[in-house]
Amino acid sequence: MARLPEELVERVRAASDIVDVVGEYVALKKRGRSYMGLCPFHPDRTPSLSVVPDQQFFHCFGCHVGGDVFRFIMEIEGMSFPEAVKHLADRAGIPLPDLEYDDEAGRRKNRLKEAHALATRYYHYVLNASRHGETAKEYVHGRGIRPETVARYRLGYAPETGDALVRFLQKRGFGREEIVAAGLGVEEGGRLADRFVGRLMIPLEDIHGAVVGFSGRRLDGGSPKYVNSPETPIFKKGRFLFHLGRAKAAIRRLREVVVVEGHLDALRLAQEGLENVVAAQGTAFTPDMAELLGRYAERVILAFDGDEAGERSAERAAPILLQRGLDVKVARLPEGLDPDAYVRAYGIDAFRLRVLQGAESYGAFRLERLKRGLDLDDAADRARYLEQAARAIAELSNPFEREAHIEAIVKAYAVPKDLFQESVRRHLEAQARKAAESPPYDRFAGRIHSSDAGGQRRRPRTAYEAAEARLLQEMLARPERISEIMDAVGGGWITPEGTALAAELYALFYEGIAGRELVPKLMTALEDLALKDFLTELLLEEAPPLSPAALADLVATLQVYPKENELKALYAERSKALDAGDFARAREIEARVRAVRSEIERLRRRA
C-alpha cells in the first residue's frame, strides 16, 4: 500500500492506548510500572508479556518479540503495517483516505478479494431472487436455516448453467487469468467455466471479514458432497477456520471455543445463539489453526461428529492443541449425529447441557479410546493397554491431571503404582528427548520461541555488546545526552542492530525529536522487526544515569574493540610468518603488535 502520512499514523497511535488494545487479546495484570500477561505469540505458561503504558510498547521475555501497538496488531492479526493502522483507525473512529496498493502482490490480492466480493453478491442474488435458486432455497428452509441467517452469512447458490459467474465477472473487468487465479473459474477444453456449479455456496471469510473463498455443497446427495476453493494468495486452508472472524469477540470474552467439523454445524449453533464456534471444515487440524485459536481462547471443546471418523479427528486435533498450551475437552455426540442434526432434534439447550457441559478431558477420552478391540481380562491385552495408557498419560501437560489418571489406572487394574509411574516416567523422558531434537512449531519465519518465559534465552552479550547496549539505553532514557555520545562514538558502533538503532537516534535528534515523542517516533522509523525487538528489550532493562567516568569507560570499550580484533589478526599473521621461517616479516608484525597494544592501553587509561 502507499505510505501513510506520518501525522495520520501518529494520530492513530495516540488514540490507541496499548494497554487497552493488548487487553482485548490478553488478560493483563498490573505489576510495577508495566502490565504482565501470557504471550499470545508462543506457548506461554507463565506471564512473560510485558506492556509498558508510559512509553506505549510491549516486549515478551520468552520469545523476545516487541514493538508498539501497530506491531502487536500486525503479529496477532497477521496484518501489514498499513492494514494495522487502518484496523486501529477503525477502532478509534478515525477516517482514513482511500489507500492504493503500490506493489504488484498487494494489487493482485486486492483484485482477488474484489472478485470474491462480487461473486458473493452474485451467488446471494441467485439464491434469493432467481428461479435458479428455488431448489436451494427450499433446501435451506428444510434444514431450518432462517432467512436472517442466510442474509447474515450471505449464503448463495451457484447455478447449473456452467459459466454464469465467469461471464458476470468478465463484464465487470476481470480477465481470464484473474478469474482462474481467484479459484472461481477453471479451464476446460480451451474454455473458461465456473468452478462451482449447482451448489449451495457458503462464503469463507477471513479474520477481518473479507470473503477469500467458498465452500459449495451439493443438494442431491451426490459426491463429492463439498467442493472448496483451492489455495490462492488470499486463502490458505491450513491457516483457516470457518466463522473465526465472527466468533473471535465471543471466544475472547468466554476464553472458550467450540470446534465442529462442518460449516452448517457452525452456522446452526451460531444461529441458535452459541457464537463462540468455529469449523475446521473437514481439513486436517494444523499447528497454525491451534495458534489462531490460542490468540483468543484458553479452553477448546472438540464437538466432532458422533462416529468413528469424528473421534479419530478429535484424536488427531487434540495433541496439536495441547502443544499450543490449550486446555482440551472432547464432547461426545450420539452415534450418527452431528451438531446440526443434534440441535434440530433436541434443541440448543440440550446441546449446551448434555454435550458441552458433559465434555470430558482429552486424557479421559484418549484412555477410553485405547480400550477399543482389547479384552482387558486377557493378560497380554491388559499389558498392552497399560503400556499405551502410560504413553497417553505422559503426553498430558498438566501434572495434576497425569497424577489423577495414574491413580485411576492403578485402582482399576490393581497394578503396582511404582511400576506404572516408572512406565509413565520413561515416556515423559522419551518425549523430552524428542522435543529437544526438534524445535517447537514457530509461526515467525526464522525465529524459535521458548516454551515459556524461563525457556530458551538469547546468547549473553559480550562485554563490547553490553557496553554498546548501555550507551544506546542512555540515549533512549536521556535524549539530552545523544549529542555527547554521538560526538564520542560517532560511527564506532559494533553490531549491525546497534549501528542501525544509533543511526535512527541520531536522525531523530537532528529533527529535534525528544522527550515522550522519541520512542514512538523511533518505533515508526524502524521497519526491521528484529530492530523493534532489540529496542524494546533495551527499554525494559534498568538504565540509571551514567556518570561522566562510566560513560567514558563504555566509549573506550567500544573503541578498544576493533583494536583487539586487529591484535588477534596480527597474532595469527605472526604465527604464520614464524611457521614459514620468515623471521624478518615476523619482526615487522611484532612491531605493529606493540603499537596496537600501546594504543589499547592509551584508550583504557583515557577512560
Side-chain angles (χ1 to χ4, degrees):
M1 285 183 177
R3 193 171 184 86
L4 292 163
E6 187 176 335
E7 62 273 13
L8 184 58
V9 171
E10 293 308 318
R11 184 181 168 202
V12 173
R13 186 201 305 278
S16 306
D17 182 78
I18 194 167
V19 174
D20 292 340
V21 173
V22 176
E24 292 177 1
Y25 300 86
V26 177
L28 296 173
K29 291 185 178 178
K30 192 153 190 350
R31 191 178 297 174
R33 74 183 183 108
S34 64
Y35 290 79
M36 298 296 295
L38 295 174
C39 178
F41 305 129
H42 77 282
D44 198 11
R45 295 185 180 86
T46 56
S48 57
L49 182 77
S50 179
V51 182
V52 182
D54 60 344
Q55 291 180 297
Q56 292 290 298
F57 74 88
F58 75 93
H59 183 84
C60 175
F61 295 104
C63 64
H64 309 295
V65 171
D68 57 8
V69 68
F70 299 120
R71 172 78 188 281
F72 183 84
I73 291 297
M74 288 167 66
E75 296 295 354
I76 202 159
E77 295 287 7
M79 293 178 169
S80 66
F81 177 73
E83 288 171 334
V85 174
K86 184 178 186 309
H87 175 87
L88 290 170
D90 290 343
R91 178 183 178 275
I94 298 173
L96 288 183
D98 290 336
L99 302 176
E100 293 290 333
Y101 286 89
D102 60 3
D103 64 291
E104 183 57 37
R107 282 193 296 271
R108 182 177 176 82
K109 287 183 178 181
N110 196 41
R111 287 287 287 174
L112 297 184
K113 289 181 180 180
E114 288 175 0
H116 277 85
L118 281 171
T120 302
R121 285 168 48 196
Y122 174 78
Y123 289 140
H124 190 61
Y125 171 83
V126 172
L127 175 66
N128 289 284
S130 164
R131 61 180 178 81
H132 296 288
E134 290 299 325
T135 301
K137 199 163 11 176
E138 290 174 10
Y139 173 84
V140 168
H141 177 74
R143 290 289 297 254
I145 300 174
R146 296 192 284 269
E148 57 267 30
T149 302
V150 172
R152 181 185 181 196
Y153 293 99
R154 297 177 285 178
L155 302 185
Y157 182 69
E160 298 179 3
T161 51
D163 65 351
L165 177 67
V166 164
R167 287 186 281 108
F168 175 80
L169 292 174
Q170 286 175 330
K171 286 178 181 177
R172 280 150 183 81
F174 285 87
R176 191 184 193 94
E177 186 275 333
E178 288 180 312
I179 295 170
V180 172
L184 298 171
V186 292
E187 301 275 4
E188 288 184 352
R191 60 182 287 270
L192 187 61
D194 292 348
R195 176 178 293 276
F196 300 97
V197 176
R199 291 178 179 272
L200 176 69
M201 299 300 291
I202 303 170
L204 306 179
E205 299 173 349
D206 67 12
I207 197 75
H208 316 301
V211 177
V212 293
F214 291 94
S215 183
R217 191 192 195 285
R218 285 190 66 154
L219 307 180
D220 58 6
S223 182
K225 183 188 291 187
Y226 283 96
V227 170
N228 294 325
S229 290
E231 295 235 340
T232 69
I234 61 173
F235 179 57
K236 305 298 180 186
K237 294 179 182 179
R239 278 194 61 80
F240 182 84
L241 287 164
F242 178 72
H243 200 250
L244 181 58
R246 294 177 182 266
K248 63 183 181 182
I251 296 169
R252 189 184 299 130
R253 185 178 68 255
L254 299 169
R255 305 305 298 167
E256 179 179 276
V257 60
V258 177
V259 182
V260 297
E261 290 186 76
H263 310 84
L264 292 180
D265 294 322
L267 291 181
R268 164 70 60 184
L269 295 177
Q271 175 181 275
E272 304 304 328
L274 197 146
E275 282 288 333
N276 59 322
V277 60
V278 301
Q281 61 165 22
T283 57
F285 210 88
T286 68
D288 278 323
M289 293 176 180
E291 187 275 320
L292 282 170
L293 292 181
R295 295 179 185 178
Y296 310 105
E298 294 173 358
R299 176 183 294 118
V300 179
I301 301 178
L302 300 175
F304 292 164
D305 296 354
D307 55 21
E308 178 62 21
E311 293 199 354
R312 283 201 304 271
S313 294
E315 282 185 306
R316 289 191 294 268
I320 297 170
L321 291 160
L322 288 169
Q323 190 175 20
R324 179 58 179 81
L326 294 162
D327 177 22
V328 181
K329 291 187 176 294
V330 180
R332 291 176 180 265
L333 281 89
E335 181 67 34
L337 291 183
D338 58 25
D340 175 34
Y342 186 96
V343 171
R344 276 189 283 149
Y346 303 107
I348 191 65
D349 290 338
F351 184 81
R352 290 180 187 273
L353 181 64
R354 298 175 192 165
V355 177
L356 298 184
Q357 290 188 26
E360 58 189 342
S361 71
Y362 172 68
F365 168 79
R366 178 82 176 118
L367 290 172
E368 189 63 30
R369 288 272 295 166
L370 287 173
K371 296 177 183 177
R372 290 169 302 138
L374 298 178
D375 178 4
L376 296 182
D377 291 328
D378 177 80
D381 273 6
R382 187 165 60 252
R384 190 177 301 114
Y385 171 73
L386 291 172
E387 183 63 21
Q388 292 174 342
R391 182 186 295 110
I393 290 171
E395 291 172 355
L396 301 175
S397 59
N398 188 315
F400 299 105
E401 187 181 358
R402 283 202 300 266
E403 186 61 28
H405 286 304
I406 289 172
E407 292 288 350
I409 292 283
V410 166
K411 183 177 179 181
Y413 299 100
V415 60
K417 184 174 181 179
D418 57 347
L419 180 64
F420 190 66
Q421 282 180 319
E422 173 61 20
S423 183
V424 173
R425 186 188 62 76
R426 279 191 293 101
H427 287 296
L428 278 168
E429 290 175 351
Q431 289 167 18
R433 286 194 299 272
K434 185 177 179 181
E437 291 166 5
S438 55
Y441 162 78
D442 181 8
R443 75 188 185 92
F444 292 99
R447 187 195 303 279
I448 295 174
H449 295 164
S450 61
S451 59
D452 59 31
Q456 180 176 323
R457 302 289 183 185
R458 286 192 170 181
R459 174 182 61 79
R461 294 177 185 140
T462 64
Y464 306 113
E465 291 168 341
E468 177 185 76
R470 189 65 188 83
L471 287 169
L472 290 168
Q473 286 172 330
E474 187 70 4
M475 290 194 288
L476 288 166
R478 283 161 281 280
E480 65 275 11
R481 301 195 77 175
I482 291 178
S483 178
E484 178 186 357
I485 293 171
M486 186 167 55
D487 290 343
V489 178
W493 301 91
I494 296 168
T495 66
E497 60 265 32
T499 303
L501 191 55
E504 293 292 351
L505 279 166
Y506 290 176
L508 290 171
F509 172 76
Y510 279 122
E511 292 173 20
I513 305 298
R516 294 177 66 87
E517 282 188 283
L518 180 65
V519 170
K521 291 278 189 181
L522 190 55
M523 288 285 185
T524 302
L526 296 175
E527 294 185 0
D528 188 321
L529 299 184
L531 284 177
K532 290 182 190 285
D533 298 345
F534 179 56
L535 170 60
T536 55
E537 188 174 304
L538 294 178
L539 289 168
L540 278 175
E541 295 172 3
E542 289 296 324
L546 289 173
S547 66
L551 191 146
D553 186 55
L554 292 170
V555 170
T557 300
L558 293 193
Q559 293 172 336
V560 162
Y561 177 76
K563 298 294 181 185
E564 292 205 339
N565 279 345
E566 184 182 356
L567 202 57
K568 289 176 185 175
L570 288 170
Y571 287 152
E573 197 176 343
R574 185 180 61 185
S575 295
K576 193 181 296 184
L578 290 170
D579 289 342
D582 190 348
F583 301 113
R585 175 64 180 152
R587 280 194 296 273
E588 290 175 11
I589 296 169
E590 179 60 31
R592 179 60 186 153
V593 164
R594 288 195 296 271
V596 173
R597 279 179 181 160
S598 176
E599 179 69 10
I600 290 173
E601 288 170 8
R602 184 186 66 79
L603 287 170
R604 284 178 172 158
R605 281 197 306 272
R606 194 176 70 185

